[in-house]
Amino acid sequence: AQSVTQLDSQVPVFEEAPVELRCNYSSSVSVYLFWYVQYPNQGLQLLLKYLSGSTLVKGINGFEAEFNKSQTSFHLRKPSVHISDTAEYFCAVNYGGSQGNLIFGKGTKLSVKP
Amino acid sequence: DADVTQTPRNRITKTGKRIMLECSQTKGHDRMYWYRQDPGLGLRLIYYSFDVKDINKGEISDGYSVSRQAQAKFSLSLESAIPNQTALYFCATSPPGSPYGYTFGSGTRLTVV
């Protein structure tokens, strides 16, 4: 079955520290990969996406993600986090085909502490 | 104005009541979706619609129904609300085809007491 796994439900870090939020997906011939961010009491906002080409994708707010086909991963990274990055982050995968619905992971809550 | 507008933003209703959540979008996209979000469970697809005449069940459609009144409007109904339908509900829209992300509304927080 097609699935998306976010390995950490919560990630606490100190301000200015680097962070990596992990995402793995079930293997498929072709996938489109997304990271969304949800700030408290808000909807989901697209952070970045991988469709094809370079495996390193840069998004908004200094985040980047690397597509690794052999490890079926799409981990999200930021070299130095801010208090304002505190939010829940969702990895999502579109396995393609005629329907092409997004399948979401369960989310990772990033808590940035001063 | 927001690209995807959901009403109401918050709603408290009693068990057994019928309730409708509304969604409208100005993106001009054909595809619309309803998701529910529960803590620790992420987003789960309730229903989706690829155009006005094409409506499909998602993974958790039991207890819900939808209506696609126009390209821009997609409503979710709970015919007889129950407490475990207490959740945050999101509407989203996307262009046709696979390699596109969704644009989400701000959500409706529904509490069934």
Side-chain angles (χ1 to χ4, degrees):
Chain A
Q2 297 167 342
S3 63
V4 181
T5 302
Q6 291 185 243
L7 297 162
D8 305 296
S9 60
Q10 297 188 47
V11 174
V13 294
F14 287 106
E15 193 173 20
E16 298 183 5
V19 71
E20 178 180 80
L21 307 183
R22 296 179 293 170
C23 174
N24 287 88
Y25 60 94
S26 49
S27 182
S28 180
V29 176
S30 65
V31 292
Y32 304 106
L33 301 157
F34 304 82
W35 276 99
Y36 283 85
V37 59
Q38 183 181 29
Y39 297 106
N41 300 313
Q42 295 187 26
L44 278 75
Q45 177 183 352
L46 183 64
L47 202 54
L48 50 77
K49 61 184 177 183
Y50 171 80
L51 305 182
S52 64
S54 172
T55 57
L56 184 62
V57 180
K58 294 188 182 298
I60 62 173
N61 301 337
F63 283 92
E64 61 183 31
E66 186 161 17
F67 169 56
N68 188 319
K69 187 173 183 178
S70 63
Q71 297 187 4
T72 61
S73 68
F74 190 54
H75 300 335
L76 181 70
R77 302 185 182 101
K78 186 169 183 178
S80 176
V81 295
H82 303 291
I83 298 288
S84 60
D85 292 323
T86 295
E88 189 160 19
Y89 293 79
F90 292 92
C91 180
V93 180
N94 187 320
Y95 286 94
S98 60
Q99 295 190 348
N101 292 330
L102 279 183
I103 298 175
F104 286 85
K106 294 184 177 181
T108 297
K109 289 186 177 179
L110 176 64
S111 176
V112 182
K113 303 178 180 182
Chain B
D1 289 341
D3 293 328
V4 181
T5 301
Q6 292 185 235
T7 56
R9 290 296 308 274
N10 293 280
R11 180 73 182 267
I12 300 174
T13 191
K14 293 183 178 181
T15 298
K17 292 290 187 181
R18 183 179 188 275
I19 182 169
M20 178 182 290
L21 310 183
E22 299 188 347
C23 175
S24 63
Q25 52 103 352
T26 58
K27 300 284 284 185
H29 293 161
D30 289 327
R31 296 187 173 189
M32 297 187 75
Y33 310 83
W34 275 104
Y35 283 88
R36 84 174 258 177
Q37 182 183 14
D38 298 278
L41 297 180
L43 277 78
R44 293 180 292 167
L45 184 61
I46 306 173
Y47 270 96
Y48 61 100
S49 171
F50 283 176
D51 64 40
V52 175
K53 296 182 180 180
D54 181 21
I55 292 177
N56 306 278
K57 293 182 177 181
E59 73 177 286
I60 55 162
S61 60
D62 287 349
Y64 301 94
S65 63
V66 291
S67 173
R68 185 82 184 265
Q69 300 93 326
Q71 184 201 40
K73 296 183 181 294
F74 192 36
S75 300
L76 176 72
S77 293
L78 286 68
E79 297 301 326
S80 179
I82 56 177
N84 76 1
Q85 291 178 312
T86 293
L88 186 55
Y89 290 84
F90 285 104
C91 175
T93 187
S94 76
S98 299
Y100 298 104
Y102 296 176
T103 301
F104 283 86
S106 297
T108 293
R109 186 169 296 280
L110 177 66
T111 303
V112 184
V113 297

